[in-house]
Amino acid sequence: MPSKAVYLETFGCQMNELDSELVAGSLTALGYRFTADASEADIVLYNTCSVRERAEQKVWSRLGEMKHRKAKQPDLVVGVLGCMAERDGQDLISRMPVVDIMCGPSELDKLPELLDNAVRTKASLAESDPKVAIRRSAKQVALQGNASRRSSTLAAAGDSLESLDLGRMISPVDFDGRRSAYVRITRGCNKFCTYCVVPHTRGAEIHRPPQNIIDEIKALADTGVVEITLLGQTVNHYRFEHDEAVTVDGIVQPQKGRTYKGSHNRDSFEGANTTTFADLLYRIHEEVPSVRRLRFLTSYPRDFGDDVLQVIRDCPRICRFIHVPAQTGSNRMLKMMNRGHSIEEYYEFIARCNEYLHQPEIGRPLMLGGDLIVGFPTETEEDHELTKELLTRSRYKNCYIFKYSPRPGTVSYDKIPDDIPDVLKRQRNNELLNLQTEISDSIAQEQVGGEFDIFVEGLSRREHKKRGTDVKPGSGMVGITIGGSAPQAKIAVLDPEIQGATVQMSGRTDGDLIVFFDVPTDGVKIPSEYIGQIVRAKITGADKLTLNGILV
Ligand code: 5AD
Ligand code: SF4
């Protein structure tokens, strides 16, 4: 088949960014080529998100645009991947006949087959009667996608999907220059928070075998990746039950993460047949030391044992940043959200995190991140005040604040009327945003004078802007985007001939604080050589949420 041009746009979370990257890898290996220009594509794919209505609306409007385009280009193939495909199913097809392919998150391994079918069907139908081609192929291919989704059992979905993640090792997307990558450890979610669509779209929790995860990380490290972010909806729930005890060289392993037995240890150790999250972190840290930064997203505030905190404390390459959403500061709301923990338990958890991990004296202060939902049904002024207290007490480095968005299929959508008017949601949202800005600001100020290891990510946005106007291949800077809009998927390479006093670059502390600093362009080291390196910088100032530093 001739090489078809694919345009792939990603909406939503990191999990989707990773899915897009894996899809891009598998399609590239099959001879498809990717383009950043939708107008020259033969195939347009949207990897969608259903978590909030706004993300869905964006996709609907993209699909609306495609309707006009398809009138002019009947053999264009349009695919909806991800959560909307799973949730809206047949509805989406009837509402938007422009869609040829739908492929839910648990079916992405089948995308090449669906795509191949769609392209072939279009080509053969277009030859006979181009007008019929559009509608008939849409129906056929879409139904195919649905049928296979219905028939796949969870276990089978787990197994076949594993090949999507593992495929990365066989055909890594052009990793040249990549220094940072996501690695999935858990799919799906079992929590069923009442507002959340994820358990419905991504299905039940499935944990990947630890050896597969480690092999994947080793393969990434071999291509030069030095920062790994482990992904899971409730990443700390990772737990893999082995059929047999875990052995290395024939010796049964008391899993190393669990050899830590501090006085706070509250975990029940289940023997050598289980790999816990603590074990996994420890194994990656020990077995792939070329990974200089190990991160993980997103944590669930319950069942977070001291064993994990001890491993993070004792492993220097595991980062001191925990994104651990609370959603609300009110116990009444937590209950209605079915979060499974009280606010007291949350406070106890972050106190424990601070006790173990907050070590500013060695330049490693703990940074926390959060998510909040404002305007959940029946939220009172008193609940809102409790959420403000949550922000003040938790002192997040950053916190995402979302207005409640009722999602069809969830318990809260079905059972609890969305009774908080939008103006009030917006007002509460702004109040929380302002409070969070003050907190982030004061955390940034506290870092002034300190010294940190900075993982260099690339040119700063300011530098991009400054030079962006004269981007020409071969002169100045070349930006390459692979697999969607993931910031970590972008690399910027500076031509050695760039001249000028200094170039401003940006990087992150291990607590995930962004730092800007200048590097000289003195010909000794070209700026692009800093990318992916860890440099030491002293913080000289803080401007709102970002830090400025100088290399030391
Ligand atoms: N409305 C608003 N925010 C939501 N989130 C999840 N579902 C909803 C919803 N229905 C937020 C939560 C979650 C983040 C990924 O998205 O804060 O942590
Ligand atoms: Fe959604 Fe709750 Fe699962 Fe997070 S833990 S993905 S909010 S159901």
Side-chain angles (χ1 to χ4, degrees):
M1 180 160 303
S3 128
K4 294 272 178 190
V6 184
Y7 172 80
L8 169 59
E9 190 171 345
T10 308
F11 300 82
C13 60
Q14 291 92 350
M15 201 59 100
N16 265 14
E17 289 173 10
L18 173 58
D19 280 340
S20 285
E21 182 187 317
L22 297 175
V23 159
S26 71
L27 294 180
T28 305
L30 291 169
Y32 293 91
R33 82 192 152 79
F34 278 75
T35 169
D37 179 3
S39 70
E40 68 153 47
D42 307 297
I43 298 163
V44 172
L45 301 175
Y46 298 116
N47 193 5
T48 62
C49 170
S50 289
V51 166
R52 282 169 298 276
E53 195 184 354
R54 238 170 92 188
E56 289 199 344
Q57 276 164 353
K58 275 194 215 154
V59 175
W60 284 114
S61 95
R62 292 284 199 287
L63 291 174
E65 291 161 22
M66 283 301 127
K67 215 159 79 183
H68 304 294
R69 165 104 178 261
K70 217 163 186 177
K72 289 186 231 137
Q73 190 187 344
D75 59 350
L76 178 76
V77 172
V78 176
V80 173
L81 320 181
C83 291
M84 275 174 84
E86 187 68 40
R87 206 176 66 78
D88 290 343
Q90 203 53 42
D91 226 31
L92 199 131
I93 290 283
S94 37
R95 229 179 111 181
M96 211 44 102
V98 74
V99 177
D100 300 294
I101 293 176
M102 285 193 314
C103 193
S106 52
E107 287 203 320
L108 290 173
D109 57 305
K110 300 190 189 78
L111 181 65
E113 202 185 317
L114 287 174
L115 210 48
D116 188 52
N117 260 323
V119 171
R120 279 174 203 279
T121 315
K122 286 246 153 162
S124 66
L125 287 174
E127 265 168 32
S128 52
D129 179 354
K131 275 185 239 102
V132 187
I134 313 166
R135 279 202 10 253
R136 272 183 49 197
S137 70
K139 243 188 197 148
Q140 281 176 357
V141 180
L143 286 175
Q144 221 164 15
N146 263 359
S148 55
R149 177 164 61 242
R150 265 188 239 116
S151 64
S152 57
T153 65
L154 259 180
D159 285 341
S160 59
L161 261 183
E162 187 59 25
S163 67
L164 186 71
D165 291 78
L166 284 176
R168 194 185 223 179
M169 285 191 270
I170 304 154
S171 60
V173 202
D174 182 4
F175 266 106
D176 191 24
R178 282 281 296 280
R179 295 288 175 262
S180 200
Y182 293 129
V183 170
R184 184 174 1 242
I185 65 168
T186 299
R187 300 166 210 289
C189 181
N190 286 348
K191 285 293 165 198
F192 287 96
C193 300
T194 51
Y195 52 81
C196 186
V197 82
V198 169
H200 309 277
T201 57
R202 290 202 178 257
E205 210 169 73
I206 299 173
H207 307 284
R208 295 184 62 204
Q211 197 56 50
N212 292 9
I213 296 168
I214 286 171
D215 290 346
E216 187 179 333
I217 294 174
K218 280 185 177 159
L220 289 167
D222 285 346
T223 68
V225 168
V226 288
E227 183 183 59
I228 293 284
T229 303
L230 306 176
L231 294 185
Q233 308 293 345
T234 52
V235 74
N236 52 310
H237 278 181
Y238 179 83
R239 144 177 252 91
F240 190 84
E241 306 290 343
H242 302 261
D243 290 340
E244 291 175 17
V246 184
T247 59
V248 173
D249 297 334
I251 300 163
V252 175
Q253 296 295 296
Q255 290 287 282
K256 295 229 175 77
R258 272 177 269 149
T259 56
Y260 293 92
K261 288 200 170 137
S263 53
H264 296 276
N265 211 318
R266 58 183 63 197
D267 279 48
S268 54
F269 298 149
E270 281 113 309
N273 289 28
T274 312
T275 295
T276 63
F277 184 52
D279 298 331
L280 182 70
L281 283 177
Y282 187 81
R283 274 194 69 184
I284 298 168
H285 186 267
E286 295 303 297
E287 293 179 37
V288 206
S290 58
V291 170
R292 298 188 63 195
R293 288 222 160 150
L294 184 56
R295 304 186 172 281
F296 52 88
L297 287 174
T298 291
S299 297
Y300 191 74
R302 231 185 55 189
D303 319 318
F304 210 124
D306 285 8
D307 55 343
V308 184
L309 300 181
Q310 286 161 355
V311 169
I312 301 170
R313 182 192 60 199
D314 297 344
C315 294
R317 295 183 299 281
I318 304 181
C319 294
R320 298 286 170 99
F321 174 69
I322 301 183
H323 181 235
V324 56
Q327 314 298 356
T328 168
S330 149
N331 273 331
R332 192 179 71 85
M333 294 278 96
L334 282 170
K335 221 176 203 151
M336 282 179 77
M337 291 177 174
N338 188 34
R339 287 288 289 176
H341 62 84
S342 67
I343 199 64
E344 290 76 20
E345 284 166 324
Y346 186 82
Y347 288 140
E348 185 272 339
F349 170 63
I350 58 171
R352 208 151 40 89
C353 289
N354 277 309
E355 178 193 331
Y356 275 98
L357 302 175
H358 187 56
Q359 292 180 292
E361 66 286 358
I362 58 162
R364 303 192 72 195
L366 173 68
M367 294 292 148
L368 297 170
D371 292 352
L372 292 178
I373 295 179
V374 54
F376 190 76
T378 78
E379 184 186 66
T380 62
E381 211 39 53
E382 198 186 337
D383 296 317
H384 178 56
E385 287 302 316
L386 289 166
T387 301
K388 283 195 201 159
E389 186 186 331
L390 167 75
L391 278 187
T392 312
R393 283 180 67 169
S394 305
R395 296 200 87 224
Y396 300 119
K397 166 192 86 86
N398 68 317
C399 183
Y400 300 100
I401 301 164
F402 304 108
K403 286 190 296 174
Y404 171 65
S405 166
R407 309 307 299 132
T410 60
V411 170
S412 66
Y413 179 90
D414 289 337
K415 304 226 164 99
I416 323 173
D418 177 23
D419 62 352
I420 306 293
D422 200 56
V423 276
L424 190 53
K425 281 185 191 167
R426 216 172 319 142
Q427 184 192 320
R428 287 179 180 166
N429 195 356
N430 286 338
E431 271 178 46
L432 294 176
L433 279 172
N434 291 339
L435 178 55
Q436 181 55 46
T437 305
E438 274 173 35
I439 293 165
S440 302
D441 217 0
S442 84
I443 290 177
Q445 293 294 342
E446 283 162 23
Q447 313 311 317
V448 177
E451 268 187 33
F452 294 92
D453 286 336
I454 314 287
F455 176 82
V456 185
E457 293 184 320
L459 295 183
S460 72
R461 211 176 289 165
R462 192 189 79 188
E463 196 69 37
H464 268 297
K465 251 195 187 149
K466 202 164 102 190
R467 298 174 183 272
T469 42
D470 61 276
V471 178
K472 284 189 218 103
S475 75
M477 184 176 70
V478 189
I480 305 170
T481 308
I482 305 162
S485 58
Q488 43 88 20
K490 287 181 192 147
I491 58 169
V493 182
L494 272 181
D495 196 291
E497 274 155 39
I498 265 194
Q499 291 303 325
T502 54
V503 166
Q504 195 192 51
M505 305 199 76
S506 82
R508 278 168 201 267
T509 67
D510 87 330
D512 207 40
L513 294 165
I514 297 171
V515 182
F516 295 130
F517 54 93
D518 287 342
V519 299
T521 52
D522 52 11
V524 178
K525 194 171 178 183
I526 60 170
S528 61
E529 285 177 316
Y530 285 93
I531 297 174
Q533 304 277 315
I534 292 185
V535 297
R536 189 86 179 155
K538 186 180 168 87
I539 305 305
T540 51
D543 179 18
K544 297 223 172 79
L545 310 180
T546 51
L547 304 176
N548 296 309
I550 48 167
L551 295 183
V552 291

